[in-house]
Amino acid sequence: MTELTPALISALKLAKDGDLHPQPTNKWTHENATVTYAKNDRWKERPQKIKSVTPKSIVELSNSGLIERRNLDTDAAKDVYGITMAGKMWLLKNK
C-alpha cells in the first residue's frame, strides 16, 4: 500500500472531484475554477480560495498510479489528469 502525505491526499481528493487542468500559475486545478463563497455566508463576503495542486504532487500521484493522463497525444505539462480506479479505491480504504 502506498503511503501518502497530507498534501498528496488533498490532491487526490481534488482529482476525485474532477479532472485537473494546468493553470498559468504553474498549478493544477479544475478547468473553470473560480473563487467561491462559503455556503453559509449569505452576504458572500468571505471568498474561499481556489484549491490547487503543485506539479510535484501530480508527478508523485501519477508515478504511483493513482492519477493518469487523459490525452496521451499532448505534452505532459499541458495535459489533463484524472483519478484512476486505484486512486478511488485508495481513498475508500484510507480516508
Side-chain angles (χ1 to χ4, degrees), residues 21-60:
H21 295 264
Q23 302 298 319
T25 59
N26 199 22
K27 300 271 188 176
W28 298 75
T29 190
H30 298 294
E31 185 173 17
N32 295 319
T34 58
V35 174
T36 58
Y37 297 91
K39 291 180 182 178
N40 58 357
D41 187 7
R42 59 183 247 213
W43 306 112
K44 294 186 177 183
E45 295 173 352
R46 295 179 295 252
Q48 296 175 329
K49 72 176 197 170
I50 298 172
K51 295 179 182 176
S52 60
V53 180
T54 63
K56 180 182 175 190
S57 298
I58 293 287
V59 169
E60 289 181 23

